[in-house]
């Protein structure tokens, strides 16, 4: 019997501005914190809270991880791709 696969994870993509922010990450702690937050989003893209009063275009969402002190602004496409707009340290 073939093993059952778990639920499909969302793909993660970065906007140009978020990609530039990632280029500036230098410490292992920063990379680990971002990695952890991205795993959470890939498992459940809707975990973040919608940003109020954002009615133009796709609904921006905000995910904050208080343990790792990371905040991500992102939106989710119709095909469940998470597009990270900005990476911010809390």
């Amino acid at each position: 019997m073939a093993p059952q696969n778990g639920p499909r994870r969302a793909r993660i993509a970065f906007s140009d501005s978020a990609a530039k922010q990632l280029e500036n990450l230098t410490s292992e702690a920063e990379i680990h914190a971002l990695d952890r937050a991205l795993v959470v989003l890939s498992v459940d893209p809707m975990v973040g809270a919608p940003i109020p009063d954002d009615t133009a275009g796709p609904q921006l969402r905000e995910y904050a991880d208080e343990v790792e002190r990371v905040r991500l602004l992102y939106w989710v496409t119709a095909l469940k791709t998470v597009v990270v707009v900005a990476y911010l340290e809390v």
Side-chain angles (χ1 to χ4, degrees):
M1 179 184 264
Q4 296 241 342
N5 292 333
R8 181 178 165 265
R9 287 188 176 199
R11 291 184 43 202
I12 305 288
F14 298 95
S15 68
D16 290 341
S17 61
K20 287 180 185 175
Q21 288 178 300
L22 295 179
E23 291 173 3
N24 295 326
L25 294 181
T26 56
S27 78
E28 286 289 321
E30 290 174 321
I31 294 168
H32 173 75
L34 176 61
D35 240 8
R36 184 168 186 246
L38 293 176
V39 167
V40 170
L41 289 181
S42 74
V43 171
D44 183 6
M46 304 311 278
V47 70
I51 295 178
D53 299 327
D54 178 41
T55 57
Q59 175 71 54
L60 278 175
R61 302 182 73 81
E62 173 183 27
Y63 171 71
D65 182 331
E66 300 300 328
V67 173
E68 296 288 347
R69 303 183 55 78
V70 170
R71 187 171 71 145
L72 296 173
L73 302 180
Y74 67 98
W75 56 277
V76 181
T77 69
L79 297 175
K80 299 293 185 204
T81 298
V82 175
V83 179
V84 177
V85 176
Y87 161 72
L88 308 164
E89 289 187 53
V90 178

